[in-house]
């Protein structure tokens, strides 16, 4: 097969425009666009035409079995033909040949479902057979021990190692302030860090700030909530003051590019925030899988380990669901370890 240039149908193009109008972050927009490009390219190779909405449930089921591995007598297998796989790689919509992760598959299905919802057409992802197949696929991966991969948490100890890698240069001061701002204010997402602006930062006394998180993933309508104001205190406040003073920032983006000669550039992108976290992890010599989201899971995990009430943790992270915030726990908390040691606890009754 020759080089493939995937093209979205008019319906899919309209779905993309509507998705982008929702006010999602730039990172989410790129994620949606990449997923839809892959869907279009796969459909063109599998069915020989442009992918027009709505899709039928059998097409979605074909996509699932093409990309989900299953156990056979010959070992793990999936249905994506090698020629189609090679063409997808040649088209630049797939990084390398071979099966994809369960996370990847679930994300692609979610994006297809969203595109149908926004187009106002029948959603094949809600078909009972499709839902059952996806549910059983998750279960099959779980039985094989192939759970969705979660990044490691940057709790207090590894975060301290990252901070130790930050010197007193302008870039070092920025990175130190960024890491502490993101972590100590509740584990901010990278898009929230890159969009942090001086107009939302308020000085409180000599060594403290509050940052008003006017827009977030959990508050996309910008509702005025008490938990919108995130306290920045102690070491995090001192690092922020040092950065703002050294950089001379009084308005605009809080975290910016540092150019040659110590000149300031534009505000950081969400991708740059991710790169800073990864760079500092590498400089600190940390082993594990870390990303910008490790700051968020690290904050939640550390709060649990230190016995912070869940309600207080959720007020900082802005989570609205207990189940969601608990999903960020990466290690056993002190309470969990205590519960696991019930048999070893002092069984002597207390004297009244």
């Amino acid at each position: 097969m020759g080089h493939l240039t995937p093209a979205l149908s008019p319906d899919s193009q309209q779905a993309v425009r509507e998705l982008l109008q929702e006010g999602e972050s730039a990172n989410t927009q790129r994620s949606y666009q990449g997923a839809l490009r892959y869907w279009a390219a796969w459909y063109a190779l599998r069915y020989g035409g442009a992918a027009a909405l709505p899709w039928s449930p059998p097409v979605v089921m074909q996509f699932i079995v093409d990309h989900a591995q299953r156990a056979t007598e010959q070992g793990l297998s999936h249905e994506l033909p090698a020629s189609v796989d090679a063409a997808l790689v040649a088209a630049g919509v797939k990084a390398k040949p071979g099966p994809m992760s369960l996370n990847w598959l679930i994300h692609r299905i979610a994006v297809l479902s969203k595109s149908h919802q926004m187009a106002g057409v029948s959603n094949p992802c809600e078909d009972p057979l499709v839902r059952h197949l996806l549910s059983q696929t998750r279960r099959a991966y779980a039985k094989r021990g192939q759970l969705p991969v979660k990044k490691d948490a940057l709790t207090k100890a590894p975060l301290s190692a990252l901070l130790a890698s930050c010197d007193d240069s302008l870039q070092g001061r920025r990175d130190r302030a960024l890491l502490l701002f993101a972590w100590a204010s509740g584990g901010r997402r990278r898009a929230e860090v890159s969009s942090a602006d001086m107009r939302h930062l308020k000085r409180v006394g000599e060594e403290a700030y509050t940052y008003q998180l006017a827009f977030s993933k959990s508050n996309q309508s910008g509702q005025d909530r008490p938990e919108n104001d995130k306290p920045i205190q102690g070491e995090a406040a001192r690092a922020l003051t040092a950065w703002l003073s050294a950089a001379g920032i009084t308005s605009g983006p809080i975290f910016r590019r540092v150019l040659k000669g110590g000149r300031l550039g534009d505000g950081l992108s969400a991708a740059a925030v991710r790169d800073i976290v990864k760079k500092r992890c590498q400089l600190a010599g940390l082993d594990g899988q870390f990303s910008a989201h490790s700051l968020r899971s690290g904050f939640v995990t550390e709060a649990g380990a230190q016995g912070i009430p869940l309600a207080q943790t959720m007020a900082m992270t802005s989570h609205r669901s207990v189940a969601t915030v608990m999903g960020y726990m990466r290690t056993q908390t002190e309470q969990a370890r205590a519960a696991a040691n019930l048999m070893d606890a002092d069984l002597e009754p207390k004297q009244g």
Side-chain angles (χ1 to χ4, degrees):
M1 293 185 180
H3 183 76
L4 172 69
T5 303
L8 292 175
S9 70
D11 285 342
S12 294
Q13 292 175 15
Q14 177 63 25
V16 170
R17 285 192 293 269
E18 291 173 342
L19 283 169
L20 299 183
Q21 291 171 1
E22 286 193 299
E24 298 284 5
S25 69
N27 184 58
T28 301
Q29 293 172 19
R30 287 191 294 271
S31 176
Y32 282 157
Q33 289 176 318
L36 289 171
R37 281 196 297 271
Y38 187 90
W39 274 105
W42 172 83
Y43 188 97
L45 289 163
R46 260 305 196 178
Y47 297 100
L53 302 184
W55 287 21
S56 68
V59 171
V60 181
M61 295 175 74
Q62 184 66 58
F63 185 88
I64 293 173
V65 298
D66 271 7
H67 296 89
Q69 289 186 297
R70 70 187 190 281
T72 70
E73 292 182 356
Q74 291 75 38
L76 293 178
S77 179
H78 63 294
E79 292 301 300
L80 188 66
S83 59
V84 174
D85 199 5
L88 291 169
V89 174
V93 297
K94 195 169 185 281
K96 59 183 180 181
M100 308 301 286
S101 69
L102 179 60
N103 278 346
W104 181 94
L105 176 60
I106 292 171
H107 175 261
R108 293 304 185 277
I109 297 295
V111 171
L112 184 70
S113 178
K114 188 75 169 180
S115 67
H116 279 77
Q117 292 173 12
M118 297 305 300
V121 296
S122 177
N123 187 354
C125 302
E126 295 298 325
D127 181 86
L129 289 178
V130 172
R131 290 170 64 90
H132 183 64
L133 176 60
L134 192 58
S135 173
Q136 293 301 99
T137 299
R138 288 175 183 261
R139 182 173 297 182
Y141 274 70
K143 287 175 66 177
R144 295 198 297 265
Q146 295 177 267
L147 300 175
V149 177
K150 293 184 177 181
K151 298 296 183 181
D152 293 326
L154 282 169
T155 50
K156 185 176 180 179
L159 177 64
S160 296
L162 265 66
L163 297 176
S165 76
C166 300
D167 57 22
D168 288 331
S169 67
L170 195 58
Q171 190 176 79
R173 289 176 184 270
R174 179 202 63 189
D175 291 359
R176 182 180 181 83
L178 183 152
L179 292 168
L180 283 166
F181 172 90
W183 195 88
S185 64
R188 302 272 57 86
R189 301 175 179 89
R190 59 179 179 165
E192 295 167 355
V193 175
S194 64
S195 63
D197 194 278
M198 288 295 292
R199 69 180 183 273
H200 299 306
L201 186 68
K202 180 181 179 181
R203 190 73 177 255
V204 181
E206 289 298 321
E207 289 193 355
Y209 298 87
T210 59
Y211 184 78
Q212 185 180 51
L213 191 65
F215 176 86
S216 67
K217 186 176 180 180
S218 55
N219 186 14
Q220 298 189 27
S221 60
Q223 295 180 25
D224 185 12
R225 297 170 177 168
E227 63 267 27
N228 288 356
D229 292 328
K230 309 300 181 184
I232 302 171
Q233 303 171 352
E235 187 178 0
R238 290 189 290 273
L240 185 56
T241 296
W243 156 245
L244 295 176
S245 177
I249 296 174
T250 58
S251 62
I254 294 177
F255 301 107
R256 309 183 188 195
R257 297 169 59 209
V258 177
L259 308 176
K260 291 183 178 180
R263 294 180 297 110
L264 293 184
D266 299 333
L268 293 176
S269 66
V273 173
R274 174 202 62 204
D275 293 342
I276 287 171
V277 173
K278 289 188 173 182
K279 173 188 173 182
R280 290 296 169 183
C281 286
Q282 186 176 26
L283 289 174
L286 295 187
D287 292 326
Q289 296 294 321
F290 296 97
S291 70
H293 221 57
S294 297
L295 293 167
R296 191 161 176 81
S297 58
F299 177 86
V300 173
T301 303
E302 187 66 35
Q306 295 195 25
I308 303 299
L310 189 57
Q312 293 182 23
T313 300
M314 292 176 66
M316 290 293 288
T317 61
S318 297
H319 279 112
R320 311 294 287 180
S321 163
V322 171
T324 301
V325 74
M326 291 301 293
Y328 282 85
M329 292 285 185
R330 294 293 187 271
T331 58
Q332 287 185 320
T333 64
E334 292 297 328
Q335 297 95 320
R337 283 191 286 270
N341 291 325
L342 285 178
M343 198 62 192
D344 298 321
D346 183 5
L347 300 181
E348 291 294 327
K350 294 182 178 181
Q351 300 297 322

